[in-house]
Amino acid sequence: MAGNSGNAIDPIHQFHISKIFPVEIGGVDFSFTNASLFMVVTVAVATLFLVLSTNRRGLVPSRAQLMAEMSYEFVAATLRGSAGNDGMRFFPLVFSLFMFVFVANMLGMFPYFFTVTSQIIVTFALAMLVIGTVTVYGFFKHGAGFLKLFVPSGVPAGVVPLVSAIEVISFLSRPVSLSVRLFANMLAGHITLKVFAGFVVMLTGLGAAGVASAILPLALTVAITALEFLVAFLQAYVFTVLTCMYLADALHPSH
Amino acid sequence: MSNTQDTNHVEHTEVPGVKESGSFPPFDSSTYPSQLLWLVLSFAVFYWVMSKVVLPRIGGILEDRRDRIAGDMAEASRLKQETDEAIEAYESALSDARKKAGSMANEARAKVKAETESARAAAEEQLSAKLSDAEQSISRIKAESLSHVGEIAAETTGELVKALIGGRAPAKAEVAKAVDAALK
């Protein structure tokens, strides 16, 4: 009893990973967990929505098709805006990243659902995918010329070593900032939500006065829920915009 | 006492799943291989479906619509141009017809007028010819009648003189002379 109520208001509990089908390969744990389940659910929801809504290929779109088209044009405009027309070769990657992060964030807003993007390893893997693509494509396309990225043009020769050092550090910190930003926002938002919701539960257990005073945290919970929906979209958008900017570096290293 | 309660509490709050490792779940590296594997699998499938199915399809839909709109606009402007041309042709034809109609009316009017004039002139000529004929015959008849008047008067006078005086009739020439003198 005490343990149950303790779990109910434990804000960290929602991030626990529990095994559904244990899988072990070569002594390493590859179990299908609730996190894996929600990755699959995220992919399934996004894919089904996009496939079914565009199934009729309507010249005059239905509502669902319009949403799919809007997400397409939104990501395309973001990518074209920062990386130019030749950036469109990365469109499938950027669109997949945006939809995956966005749908994962939004699914995380459902009570009892696991938030895939609240795991640092997931956001870090996605960030490394972006930086890896930038680095590999940059060297593949420009060869050593990609290193111009670290030597901004128009800088006096005396300060080039200093500026280059800063540029290298900033490049190396990109995957960290990209992943930590998304992870921390989702984690902090969900913890805050759980803490305020926990206050409501605790206060209502204290009788009439508690119920009355529970109104404030309840109002805050509602407000934070709305804010979290905004953050869920905004962080997916920020992740996408930064991805586009980094890809622009791979396409045009000499800025 | 309080100590045991504390440990109990800690145990309670961290019970399920955390037994394997007591750390904060996102930093529990024992879950990383599983998360990475399933992320790679699901994201790879997602990327494949997006790049092979969904994005070409949406791109095709948008392109079709753009083409259709551009085609429709071109068709509309072509039709509008045709309409403008037709209106222009109609208006020029109309003004031509109006001009032609005006000139035809003028011609007809002039023709009718000329015909009327000539007919009137002919009629007048005919009438004046008839008039002069009539005048001639009147004057002829008048002259004739007048010439007969002297004769009749002379004859009547001769008879009157004969009846009045008796005896013999006066000479014809004398009577005629006297009548002529009386008529003058």
Side-chain angles (χ1 to χ4, degrees):
Chain A
M1 197 54 186
N4 276 347
S5 71
N7 281 336
I9 56 170
D10 171 14
I12 305 301
H13 178 73
Q14 58 182 322
F15 305 112
H16 277 308
I17 289 175
S18 51
K19 291 175 192 176
I20 297 174
F21 305 115
V23 181
E24 205 175 299
I25 303 166
V28 185
D29 180 22
F30 287 118
S31 301
F32 188 83
T33 61
N34 54 346
S36 323
L37 174 68
F38 275 93
M39 289 172 196
V40 173
V41 168
T42 299
V43 167
V45 166
T47 306
L48 283 177
F49 174 73
L50 290 169
V51 167
L52 294 181
S53 64
T54 58
N55 217 4
R56 264 191 275 160
R57 296 160 192 266
L59 197 64
V60 177
S62 62
R63 274 168 207 230
Q65 190 187 323
L66 192 66
M67 281 173 73
E69 287 174 12
M70 277 166 70
S71 58
Y72 179 102
E73 292 190 312
F74 175 69
V75 177
T78 308
L79 181 57
R80 207 176 277 125
S82 43
N85 268 330
D86 35 346
M88 290 307 281
R89 72 182 64 214
F90 296 114
F91 184 57
L93 174 69
V94 176
F95 186 79
S96 304
L97 279 171
F98 174 74
M99 285 310 286
F100 186 83
V101 173
F102 178 66
V103 174
N105 289 355
M106 280 300 177
L107 284 176
M109 291 307 296
F110 285 91
Y112 298 104
F113 277 27
F114 185 85
T115 314
V116 175
T117 45
S118 67
Q119 300 291 320
I120 181 74
I121 186 67
V122 171
T123 61
F124 188 72
L126 294 176
M128 282 313 289
L129 174 64
V130 172
I131 301 299
T133 307
V134 167
T135 312
V136 170
Y137 183 80
F139 278 116
F140 170 73
K141 187 160 182 231
H142 303 284
F146 182 60
L147 294 172
K148 272 191 224 151
L149 181 63
F150 304 118
V151 188
S153 55
V155 172
V159 266
V160 162
L162 181 64
V163 172
S164 295
I166 292 171
E167 289 282 340
V168 169
I169 292 168
S170 107
F171 185 82
L172 292 178
S173 65
R174 278 174 184 181
V176 178
S177 70
L178 193 58
S179 56
V180 169
R181 183 181 299 110
L182 177 58
F183 156 71
N185 268 287
M186 299 319 292
L187 185 85
H190 282 77
I191 290 177
T192 316
L193 210 52
K194 198 64 182 268
V195 166
F196 279 102
F199 283 161
V200 178
V201 175
M202 282 198 298
L203 287 169
T204 48
L206 297 178
V211 171
S213 57
I215 290 172
L216 182 65
L218 181 64
L220 273 171
T221 307
V222 173
I224 292 169
T225 305
L227 179 71
E228 279 308 300
F229 273 109
L230 177 69
V231 168
F233 165 74
L234 213 58
Q235 286 307 317
Y237 176 61
V238 167
F239 196 93
T240 311
V241 168
L242 289 171
T243 300
C244 293
M245 287 170 63
Y246 299 160
L247 288 170
D249 280 348
L251 289 157
H252 321 285
S254 44
H255 51 103
Chain B
M1 187 71 179
S2 68
N3 206 7
T4 52
Q5 263 186 345
D6 230 342
T7 51
N8 263 345
H9 183 69
V10 166
E11 238 180 56
H12 277 308
T13 50
E14 297 199 342
V15 165
V18 196
K19 274 173 189 162
E20 316 153 29
S21 55
S23 66
F24 183 54
F27 298 143
D28 177 5
S29 60
S30 71
T31 66
Y32 288 0
S34 146
Q35 292 207 60
L36 281 176
L37 173 74
W38 291 103
L39 177 67
V40 167
L41 288 180
S42 53
F43 192 77
V45 170
F46 188 59
Y47 179 84
W48 186 82
V49 174
M50 289 301 110
S51 61
K52 294 290 169 211
V53 182
V54 169
L55 295 178
R57 187 191 281 181
I58 299 179
I61 291 170
L62 294 175
E63 203 162 309
D64 283 355
R65 186 174 305 144
R66 209 173 296 130
D67 289 354
R68 173 71 184 270
I69 289 171
D72 283 2
M73 292 295 275
E75 177 75 6
S77 72
R78 193 182 63 75
L79 289 175
K80 187 176 181 304
Q81 204 179 330
E82 265 178 26
T83 313
D84 287 350
E85 276 167 13
I87 288 174
E88 213 169 290
Y90 162 77
E91 296 219 318
S92 73
L94 192 67
S95 76
D96 278 1
R98 205 173 277 146
K99 257 185 235 162
K100 209 173 169 187
S103 70
M104 273 169 85
N106 281 341
E107 260 171 40
R109 201 178 297 131
K111 199 176 160 194
V112 169
K113 205 175 168 188
E115 271 171 14
T116 317
E117 284 289 309
S118 70
R120 199 159 62 92
E124 270 176 9
E125 212 172 297
Q126 226 176 336
L127 281 177
S128 68
K130 274 186 183 166
L131 201 65
S132 68
D133 275 1
E135 273 172 3
Q136 268 177 8
S137 69
I138 287 170
S139 64
R140 192 170 40 82
I141 290 165
K142 198 177 164 187
E144 237 170 65
S145 318
L146 280 177
S147 71
H148 285 308
V149 168
E151 231 173 273
I152 292 164
E155 222 166 279
T156 312
T157 310
E159 289 301 313
L160 279 173
V161 169
K162 190 178 159 186
L164 286 173
I165 310 170
R168 54 145 189 118
K172 248 190 181 174
E174 257 174 77
V175 174
K177 204 177 170 183
V179 167
D180 278 349
L183 282 172
K184 274 171 192 173

